[in-house]
Every structure is written in structure tokens, then in C-alpha cells.
Amino acid sequence: MKRCLLPFLALISCATPSTTGPASESAPAGDAAGLKGTLLPEEVRLADLRQLSSGGETAEAYWSFDGKQLSFQARYEGMGCDRIYRTTVDPATPSPAVLPVSSGKGATTCAHFLPGDQEIIYASTHLGGEACPPRPDHSKGYVWALYDSYDIFKVNADGSGLTRLTDAPGYDAEGTVCGKDGSILFTSVRDGDIELYRMDRDGKNVRRLTQSPGYDGGAFFNADCSKIVWRASRPKPGKELEDYQGLLKEGLVRPTKLELFVANADGTEARQITWLNAASFAPFFHPNGKRILFSSNHGDPKGREFDIWAVNIDGSNLERITYAKGFDGFPMFSPDGKWLAFSSNRATAEGKTDTNLFVARWVEDAKPAAPASESAADRIQKDVTFLAAPEQEGRGIGTPGLETAGKHIEARFQGLGLKPAGDGGSFRQAFPVTTAVKVGPKTQVKLGGTVVPADAYTVLGFSAQSAAQGPLALAGYGIVEPSLKVDDYAKLNVKGKIVVVRRFVPDSPTFSETDKQRRYGDLRHKAWTARERGAKAVIFVDWPEAPNPPVQGWQMPPEAALPTLAPEGVGDAGIPVIMVKRAALEPLMGQLTAGKRVDASVEVQLDFEKSDAFNVAGLLEAGQGKLPGTLVIGAHYDHLGYGGRYSLTPDKHVPHVGADDNASGVAGLLEIARTLAANRAQLQRDVLFLAFSGEETGVLGSTHFTRLRGDGGMKEIAAMLNLDMVGRLRSSGLAVLGAESATEWAPIVAAACEKARVQCTTSGDGYGPSDHSPFYAAGVPVLHFFTGAHSDYHKASDTAETINAAGTAQVASIVSAVAMGLDGKTTLTYRKVPSPTPRGDMRSFNASLGTVPDYAGPPNGLKGMLLAGVRAGGAAEKAGMQRGDVIVRLGKHPIGSVEDLMFVLNSSKPGETVSAVVVREGKEVQLEVTFQESKRPR
């Protein structure tokens, strides 16, 4: 036989029972007066305990959807297999009737009411024979049989109307039910591994939910069926996986190490939330969906004591619920969350192994009798919650919230015993940034001789400060893209004119994809396109054209608000750029569309405000035989503020709180500092902890640090470990980028990941869109720890509730182990890796130059793109470009900024050779460069 959620211990043994004795036709009812189950003083979450059964092996009680009945499985004296029963739960009825549901043939398990409470599902082996299945072979150790005769059936609540729902060869069992539509989660080996599946309540439309090697089972929905939780094993590649697969071929599994996983209801975004290295099973959502109760032998060195525990869905706040000796498990909340059904042998007489059903009232606001010690996941959750609170205003440059976040990190560094390593004996390392921009008094817009009121237009943050005048020219949406057969300038000559460009993209199937809407609606690219064709200025307006082909009843949508004037990147568009309201152009649109001349003039003056941002720097000195070379561990703490151009929802002026990007990295950084400080005696290198600012506006803080140190000072840096977006550890594992920046990284990283029981993939050179890149460009081996992209990236939805705190704690433990692994036995060898995918060409899908931009920009206000480095084997290196060069021209195109370079590459082709001009040590140097093929960025 088998238990739905865990075959552990004799008290709830799911080893195949003896087949002596027929199945009983009746079940003994509990005698409330004689039952002796009690609560211990520590069990403060439970009250009003009632025992519902006495004698035998009774477990896995699941509530009906009206909260008035329980279905369960039991094996009473004389029975060879578990059988399915149901009973009412009514305090007014001390000894409710226990009614049989299954026929008594074969082994049965996992009985759940379907919505409406008129039908029940369960799994049974009866089609493979009426007798109980044979016991598994325990000569192989503690194993559990996956009987291939198990299928899932549906019956009426009285046991009539048996209907088979699964008929695939092999094991199908462990079914549970969604309360909204009756769809069924179940476990199956139909595809060769033990995976989770979902099917409709009639057994149709089966779809697989899990993909990773290892056991996946015992899954449950949350209340609204948007998420699932389950138990799983993840055998390590090698002997462990081979052993698992060998047993599986024999229809066996060894489920002694199980952890909890959570995912969306379709199986996406699967993530591990416990690393208890124990037998954890029977997870069940609290009705609020934010907490999970489960059973585990965590904490018992012998693995014999099972208790009920609770944990948040991010892996934080682990709490022990029961303390009775022996077994407590299978916790299941009533639909209203007021009652908890569970199984226990707390009332078992001495010498017996009976397991009985209990119901207790759940006490939500109880204070734990013995609060658990704070875990790494708890600390990470608290730090992320603070840094990603809306009060921190998205930690944007120039916001008070960024200052508050910096102070928080300073205080945490100080509390961890780090020494100040910033300016003047402080923790702060200041550098200037442009924080705000205002329209100057000379700014003026005239259309057709009429001055446009100041509240009817805005200057864009990348506008050049200059004046332009000339006739207006309508240029549609300003899009030129041969692959889409779109060229809004095909029949226009805009040289010397002021171009009027429609905002956004056409309302047509060609631009229906979100990616195309963002890419081809980009205002800066539209301005560059106009400038390249000789336009003297650009005026944007939200004036959409009617759809083509026409759509009946189409009306012009409401006008979008003018964007807020804010600094945008390094360098400007080279021409004045403004945006006007529809009302400003409405009197002239008829003349323009008729081809009549309308003159205009634009003058832009901007006043930029600068202030100091700061990195937070703390030093942990080695505790013994100090080795040369300081290890830097860093993470950026800034984000996008209220959104803006770099937001993927730029129309939303709300705090983009950046929980994963990168409150998670900072929380991990603080946990690493704590771990290394606690192990300082074994630490052989000084460790400099750096929380960077200005990363989102061009890795400004890390660039400032490397410039301040100079090439000589950077040679004293042994390595740099960067945590950026480490808050979403999922089943796909941890990406360790930059692993090719030193030949010695591979074994160090592999050992750290194996110790943490996390699947890691290593790849790539040391360049990339984060703070490790300036270090690698300066000759330092680097690693970038990254848990992967997601749909909340650069959106307001990247909130603390989406973080896997326990997973982030595992990442922190890996980085700590890597840091400790850099001992005297290991000397890192810097390696410059050939790669065809440069960060500076991030938006290019055609030509590649192989440059790595310095986003802080050229010194002394020089226009152009400063190179932080060039990629080995790339077009730039082959042309003779060097770190420190400033590219000012590429072919016929002037280069005033990083954006200009990207636009040029996007319009160029691999194999094309052009002349490039760079400024090197104050002098112009002309080079010939042949573009290489660019790959779509990861």
C-alpha cells in the first residue's frame, strides 16, 4: 500500500501490508468520552482539540468544501490495505458515523471531495487484483513501491457510480482537487519520471507541470487555485541520480529527503522554499495563501520524531506547531481556516502504533511559546521588505528613499563589525550624479507664429540645448524598419526641417507585440532617426492615425499625459526634442496634412542639478595569515525610482520598488557579511563589501570606485563577486556568470553549489549589464550571481512578496563559500574571453562592435562613448580600439552617447567595413572597423 503524502515509520507505514485477513466491512467509531488526546503547553496555535478516531492506522483527512465532512483513509484491525471512509465533523455529535466509500478491493489512497461535496476521488489498485499489492523489497533499504496498478477513480459520496479517470500505463495517484473548477492535481510516471500533472475533473485535458528529475508528489492548490505546493526530491547528478533512476525502473522510490516547492498553478515559476535536509511532506496552504503548514522530522537527529511546522511561501518564518512525542502530520485547514485536521499518535496506548484523526481550532494570533532563532531567510526577508517598501520611492537617484536605503546599509555594516572604508573614515564613497533637470528661461516653442504655453509642452531629458527654426514636416510615427517593410521617411526630405512625429506605434497587427511596441516606440531612437536624415529638431505628439485596414467605430484614444522632464543617460540626441499636447498642433494639422508650409521654431535651455550619490563601503579584515589581494563583494542598492524611460511600464509614475533588482542582492550581501564576520578566524583575505549606487543609470558607482583606485589600485583586487537579481531562485537554478574570467573558478563554484544543494550553471566572460563589468574591464576576475529574468523586471510589480527568501539565503551561502574558498591554495588567473555579444551592443540585432561602454561618460563634457573595455576577438579590438578611447564617429554617423552607438549598430550589417574616429589621450585617431555578427541578448 502507499500513503498519499509520505510513507514514513511504522505508525503510518505505507510499506505493503500483510495481505492476511479480508478488508473489514465496517469501521469503529470514536468514543469521545474515552479518548485522551491532549495539547501540550507549547502548542499555542491549537485549541479545543477533539479526537475523531480510536485504533488502527487512520490518516490523511481532507475536508469537504462546506467544511462539514472529512474524507480519510484507514486500516483497522484485520484489514490488509487502506480503505476510504468519510465522516461528519459536528461538535454536537460526539461519535459520528464512519461511512465506507471504497469497495475494500485492492489498496486505496488520497480521497478528496469534488466541489459540491457529492462526489469523491481516490486512487485504487483494484483493477490489478482484489488482493493487496505485494510488499516492496526492503533489502534495498527503506523504499516505497510505485504500484503500476494505481489509477484515479471518481465515485459518489456513498461509494456508488465508480468511474475511472486515468488509464495511462504505470502509477497514477496522489490526487487533490481545485475548489474552483474541480480540476485534479496528481502524480504519475507516465513519462518515465515521477512528475506532477493536472487534469480536468472528468480526467480529460491532462498536462504535465514539473520537469526536473526526481520525485514530485503530494501537491495541493491554494484557495483560489492560482498556486500549488508539493514535496520533491532532487537527486544530485552522478551516483545519487543513477540510484534514483535504477530504483524507478523497478517501480520503487526512496523518499527519505524531501523538500517543499511552490509554483504557479500551471507549474511555472517553480521554486524550492525549504532546505531542511529532512523528510518534509504534506504541505498545505493556509487560507491566506501566504503561509504553509507541513510535516517534517526536521530537528530530530534520528529522524523519528515528526511534527507539524509552518513556513512562509518565501521560506522565511519557520515555526514549529506541534511538540507531542511521536508523529504529528497531515495538517489540513478547513475551508474557513478556523479548524485544523491532522493525524497523530499522541493518544496511542503504550506499546501500540495507532494513528488517529484530530481536529483543533486554529489560533491565528497566538505568540509562539518558544520563538525560533532568526534564520538567514528571515533576515533577508526583513532587509528586502525594508529596501523595497514604497516609502523608499524605488530608491531612485536623487530621492530621499535612496538616502534612507543607504543609511540602512551603513547601520547594518556597522552592526556587523565592518570597518568604514569610504571617504574620510566614513562608510560613504561619494560621487556626483545629475539628479534633476529644469527648463531654462530661454526655452520657447512657436508653431505657426504662435507661442505654445509652457503647460502645453515638455522638453525631453535627452534634448540638445540649442535653437532650431524651419518648416514643419509630418513624418508619421518616425519608424524605419526594413524587416517590417515600414519606412515613414521613404518619400520625405526632412533636411533642415522640424519633424513632427507621432508618439507610440501604429494600431496595426504589425506592431501588436509588446516588444515591438517598446522597441519601435522608443522616443530617443525616433529622434536619432530624424537627426540622421537631417532634421533640425523633433516635435512629438500623441496623435494616432486611424488603423489600417480601417476598424469600424474606431475613435482616437484619450491623450496620454506628457512625460516628466528627467535626466536620461549620458549625452543628448544632438538636436532639440520636445513633446506637445494635441491642442497645440490641432489648429495646424489640417494645413500639414494638406502639404501646406507651416513654420516653427524651437529653443531649448536646460538647467541640470547635481548632487552626490554614494557607495557604502565596509571592510572585513582577515583573521589569519593574510594573503595579498582584497576580495570585493558587491551589490547595487539603487533602482528606477518612479519609473521613467528605463521602466518597462514607463506610463506608470509609481514607485518601482525593485525587490529582486536589487534589494535581493543587498540583502544577500548583508547575509554574506554576517557569515564571513562570524568565520573571520578562518578568513585569509580582507573582504571589502560595497553597496553601489547609480547602477541603473550606467554602473556609475562601480565605475567611480574603479576610476578612484586607478589601474595600480585595481591590481590589488583579487576578485569581485557581484550579486544582482538573486531573489528569484527557481527550479532552473542559479546562473553564475563570468565563470570564464578566471580558469580556477569552476571547481570553487562547483564545490560551493554542491554544499548548498543548488543547481548552478556557469558561463560567460566578465562583461555584462551590472557592477562587475568595470572590474573585469580593469583586469579583475569576476563572478555575477543571478537567478534569472522574469516578467516583473523593471516594473512596479517587482515587489517583496515575489522574493524567494530561502533561495536568496542559499545564494548567499554559495557566495560565502566561494569567498572562503579563495585561500592560499588558489590563485586566480585573469582571463580575457572572446565573445560576440557585447553589453554596449545590447539593443543591436544586426552588427556587433565588441565594445564595453563606460556609462559614466567621457571626462570634461566631451561628447562620444567612452570605452571601459573591448572584448577579446571583437571587431573593436581587431580595429585597434582600447580601454579609455572615446568613440566620436562611426562611418558617417556622429556618436554622442551609448544610445547613438546602439542605433548605428542596429542599422548596420555584419561584414560592413567603416571608418571610426576615437579620441585617445586628447587626439583623434582614425581606425578601420569591420562589424561582426551580433546575437540576440540573453
Side-chain angles (χ1 to χ4, degrees), residues 194-229:
I194 313 173
E195 305 287 358
L196 293 181
Y197 295 79
R198 184 174 179 174
M199 63 183 175
D200 296 345
R201 65 183 292 162
D202 59 2
K204 298 178 180 179
N205 192 24
V206 177
R207 52 273 196 200
R208 182 172 168 177
L209 303 185
T210 57
Q211 310 294 331
S212 301
Y215 169 78
D216 293 275
F220 288 88
F221 290 100
N222 65 350
D224 66 4
C225 301
S226 62
K227 295 189 181 298
I228 58 174
V229 62

Side-chain angles (χ1 to χ4, degrees), residues 1-5 60 73 107-112 121-125 144-153 166 168-176 184-190 194-199 215-219 231:
M1 63 167 283
K2 108 167 233 290
R3 293 262 180 217
C4 176
L5 288 169
E60 297 188 60
Q73 61 195 61
T108 55
T109 185
C110 304
H112 281 262
I121 66 161
Y122 63 86
S124 175
T125 65
W144 167 26
L146 300 168
Y147 297 120
D148 60 9
S149 54
Y150 260 124
D151 276 303
I152 298 174
F153 297 84
T166 62
Y171 177 85
D172 289 306
E174 306 178 45
T176 60
I184 299 167
L185 277 176
F186 68 102
T187 298
S188 176
V189 297
R190 62 185 61 202
I194 313 173
E195 305 287 358
L196 293 181
Y197 295 79
R198 184 174 179 174
M199 63 183 175
Y215 169 78
D216 293 275
R231 62 166 188 254

Side-chain angles (χ1 to χ4, degrees), residues 886-932:
V886 179
I887 302 176
V888 294
R889 180 167 287 276
L890 197 57
K892 63 181 180 180
H893 309 284
I895 304 298
S897 64
V898 174
E899 286 83 1
D900 283 355
L901 177 67
M902 290 191 288
F903 300 149
V904 170
L905 292 171
N906 202 48
S907 63
S908 302
K909 295 181 179 179
E912 182 181 353
T913 299
V914 299
S915 176
V917 178
V918 302
V919 176
R920 182 180 298 165
E921 297 179 351
K923 297 180 180 179
E924 287 193 355
V925 178
Q926 186 165 323
L927 304 167
E928 295 295 312
V929 59
T930 300
F931 296 129
Q932 296 175 334

Side-chain angles (χ1 to χ4, degrees), residues 427-443:
F427 282 102
R428 297 191 178 195
Q429 188 181 71
F431 57 94
V433 294
T434 300
T435 56
V437 58
K438 296 180 180 179
V439 174
K442 292 183 179 180
T443 300

